[in-house]
Amino acid sequence: GVTQAKALAETGKSVIVFDRYRTVGGIWMYYANNFSRVNSSEPAYRIVNQEGPASRPNEDHTPRHDILRDTFTIASKHLFGKFRCSTDVLKVSKRADRTYDLTVQCLLTGKVHKVHAKVVSFNVNRRIGKRRDVEWPGAERFRGEEVYGYANEVLGLNFWGKKVVVVGAGAFAFENLRTALEHGARHCTILGRRSGTTCPKWIDMIAFLRPLDQYFNTNKLGNMISFDAWKQCYKDAKLKTPECWDEGLLKPHNHTVSVSDLAFIGGFHGMVDLRVGEIQEFRRDGQGVLLKDGSHLDCDIIIKATGFHLNGEVPEITGHNKIHSFNLLDFNLNYGAEPLLDGGQFGSQKGGKAGEDAMPDQQDIMEGMAMMAKLQLPDLTLRSNPFGSSYVGGMLSAAYNFKWLVEHEDYQQTLIEAAGEPPCDAVQFWSSGIGSGQLTTLMRLIAQLKG
């Protein structure tokens, strides 16, 4: 949100930012732990280049305090006085002149008032809504400690010499594994309903160092060499490879690839186990849990990293359930948020969740392509995702794309008309939906070039 507001402020327009929370920072302020780190190599999550005599680069896999420092740097330098925190946007309605009325409420006073705006952008998380709460029978018998792995609930725990079970297999689960081991845990088990995919840091880093072709693809033979080395890391650490690999998928749907050296180092030394299963109840002796397959786990600490519900509020507020692949809900109405993560996140052709969009007539496309050649238009072949696990690359390109559309409203209107009705679900918006939606829009534009 801060990045999008900065981009729009650069147009010279008056900008105001509403945030429901008491301060800026998003999930890095609200859900992250003090020990949280970015799940990508540093260059891939750099939102600002710090400058000046006292400046320093961020650490690799940047910690929470550096991300918040960068966020507040942008806010103070480019958006000073433009924030209204503890303010909830209740409704957005469109006028006949294509401007918008916002109904907003101050959460400190309860006062409701109206704001009139020409441009509206929602930059609230899609994947991370309310926390998914889980409970198991017999909790009163458990002699250890049970917390959630978010919002600093782990801060008061004494991990030294303890056996830890982290329930979940996503990025927050592997973060809490790292926290437990770094604070002296004797052993840590990741217990998920399905295996998550994790990699050592070098796998993530070399993906940003390897050369790309003109369409942002890496060499396929090099990909195979890297993947074989990655599988060997699992073998050397005596950890089970994720079952999704047997299905030809890099990772499970709506997971990213977690990055954790300590998972492999701990596995090599017998301090980490990755298991698939579900807790049935706490054991009667209070020393662990019984799983649904009948097996037992001894533990002193249970950390629940069980994920989040999807955030369905934006369609409720705007009345728009569908979204274009280029993030527009309507004219000058943007929803910039991370998509749900299927195979499309890493450019995979397998594991996509997007539906088939209506393509224009093939003959119209061919005639349009002939006109493109006649007009000597540039190569419009869609590029692959060059950002890999990075969120910031896509975020910056989307933010400045919307800025450009706001500054060129005639082109924006033409784009919307050419794209037709928005094809994607605004909440169930998968990575592969971006690629397929952009391809459909591109083909529709090309078809309109026919003589």
Side-chain angles (χ1 to χ4, degrees):
V2 169
T3 299
Q4 183 66 81
K6 171 181 176 288
L8 292 175
E10 290 170 356
T11 67
K13 298 181 185 299
S14 174
V15 173
I16 189 169
V17 182
F18 296 115
D19 197 302
R20 182 183 292 168
Y21 197 48
R22 60 177 174 80
T23 186
V24 300
I27 60 170
W28 282 102
M29 181 64 74
Y30 189 77
Y31 274 130
N33 302 302
N34 284 356
F35 309 117
S36 293
R37 286 178 173 267
V38 168
N39 193 50
S40 300
S41 300
E42 191 279 327
Y45 212 105
R46 186 185 303 165
I47 62 175
V48 64
N49 288 313
Q50 295 287 348
E51 299 176 345
S55 64
R56 59 171 176 78
N58 290 341
E59 296 178 39
D60 192 24
H61 291 269
T62 309
R64 176 192 189 224
H65 58 264
D66 277 349
I67 295 297
L68 291 177
R69 177 192 66 155
D70 291 349
T71 302
F72 277 88
T73 295
I74 295 174
S76 63
K77 284 188 176 181
H78 304 280
L79 300 164
F80 185 79
K82 300 183 185 299
F83 292 93
R84 302 295 183 269
C85 295
S86 300
T87 303
D88 200 8
V89 177
L90 304 178
K91 196 71 177 175
V92 173
S93 56
K94 187 179 180 182
R95 292 186 181 183
D97 64 358
R98 302 196 301 180
T99 61
Y100 295 92
D101 288 317
L102 287 76
T103 304
V104 300
Q105 181 179 33
C106 176
L107 299 179
L108 300 178
T109 65
K111 183 179 178 181
V112 176
H113 56 280
K114 297 282 188 179
V115 175
H116 181 226
K118 187 176 181 180
V119 177
V120 178
S121 180
F122 283 87
N123 297 87
V124 296
N125 208 290
R126 178 182 281 111
R127 293 196 302 128
I128 303 180
K130 293 181 180 179
R131 185 182 74 185
R132 182 177 289 114
D133 293 338
V134 294
E135 296 180 352
W136 303 286
E140 71 281 356
R141 299 192 294 261
F142 186 46
R143 299 183 184 182
E145 297 178 276
E146 179 188 8
V147 300
Y148 283 92
Y150 325 112
N152 279 328
E153 286 195 25
V154 299
L155 282 187
L157 298 177
N158 177 14
F159 288 102
W160 193 261
K162 303 290 181 62
K163 291 183 177 180
V164 179
V165 170
V166 179
V167 181
F172 262 116
F174 282 95
E175 173 194 309
N176 282 284
L177 174 146
R178 184 189 70 239
T179 297
L181 294 180
E182 287 179 341
H183 288 78
R186 177 182 173 186
H187 187 275
C188 186
T189 298
I190 294 281
L191 179 66
R193 291 178 298 175
R194 56 183 180 178
S195 296
T197 301
T198 189
C199 71
K201 286 173 65 173
W202 66 268
I203 283 285
D204 186 63
M205 176 55 83
I206 63 172
F208 296 102
L209 300 178
R210 292 175 58 199
L212 303 175
D213 65 18
Q214 60 178 327
Y215 302 115
F216 300 150
N217 296 307
T218 50
N219 180 272
K220 291 184 178 180
L221 179 58
N223 295 344
M224 294 171 61
I225 294 172
S226 294
F227 189 66
D228 285 342
W230 185 359
K231 286 193 292 185
Q232 189 63 41
C233 290
Y234 270 95
K235 182 177 180 181
D236 292 343
K238 297 180 176 60
L239 299 175
K240 294 179 181 178
T241 55
E243 59 268 18
C244 63
W245 284 8
D246 297 329
E247 303 167 13
L249 300 175
L250 183 64
K251 61 183 187 59
H253 291 309
N254 213 18
H255 275 223
T256 188
V257 175
S258 301
V259 182
S260 177
D261 279 352
L262 275 183
F264 295 95
I265 295 170
F268 182 82
H269 292 286
M271 299 173 66
V272 168
D273 190 18
L274 307 180
R275 293 191 59 171
V276 174
E278 294 184 64
I279 294 175
Q280 178 172 309
E281 63 179 353
F282 287 94
R283 289 194 336 222
R284 296 188 181 278
D285 63 3
Q287 302 293 332
V289 291
L290 172 67
L291 304 187
K292 290 184 177 181
D293 64 4
S295 61
H296 295 256
L297 279 177
D298 295 333
C299 58
D300 305 296
I301 295 172
I302 291 180
I303 300 175
K304 296 183 284 190
T306 45
F308 303 86
H309 297 285
L310 298 181
N311 183 2
E313 291 184 289
V314 171
E316 295 173 2
I317 295 169
T318 64
H320 290 276
N321 296 310
K322 296 290 186 177
I323 189 171
H324 288 287
S325 58
F326 40 88
N327 291 342
L328 288 186
L329 296 166
D330 199 346
F331 182 79
N332 276 342
L333 181 59
N334 185 62
Y335 183 14
E338 186 177 25
L340 307 187
L341 305 177
D342 61 0
Q345 181 190 10
F346 296 98
S348 173
Q349 299 299 314
K350 191 168 185 179
K353 301 285 283 186
E356 291 294 327
D357 300 325
M359 295 286 268
D361 183 78
Q362 189 65 30
Q363 183 62 35
D364 292 344
I365 294 175
M366 296 300 294
E367 292 181 20
M369 293 182 73
M371 182 59 71
M372 279 182 60
K374 183 177 180 180
L375 296 173
Q376 297 183 331
L377 295 178
D379 181 7
L380 298 182
T381 303
L382 292 179
R383 271 55 172 171
S384 296
N385 171 22
F387 306 115
S389 62
S390 165
Y391 170 65
V392 166
M395 176 196 73
L396 287 170
S397 62
Y400 279 88
N401 180 66
F402 183 54
K403 172 193 173 184
W404 190 91
L405 292 174
V406 168
E407 291 183 302
H408 301 83
E409 291 186 343
D410 51 343
Y411 287 102
Q412 180 186 164
Q413 183 60 40
T414 301
L415 176 63
I416 291 173
E417 292 172 358
E421 291 297 318
C424 304
D425 189 285
V427 177
Q428 298 275 349
F429 186 34
W430 295 91
S431 292
S432 56
I434 298 175
S436 64
Q438 289 179 349
L439 178 62
T440 301
T441 299
L442 179 60
M443 292 300 104
R444 288 173 178 171
L445 288 169
I446 291 174
Q448 293 189 31
L449 291 174
K450 67 175 184 175

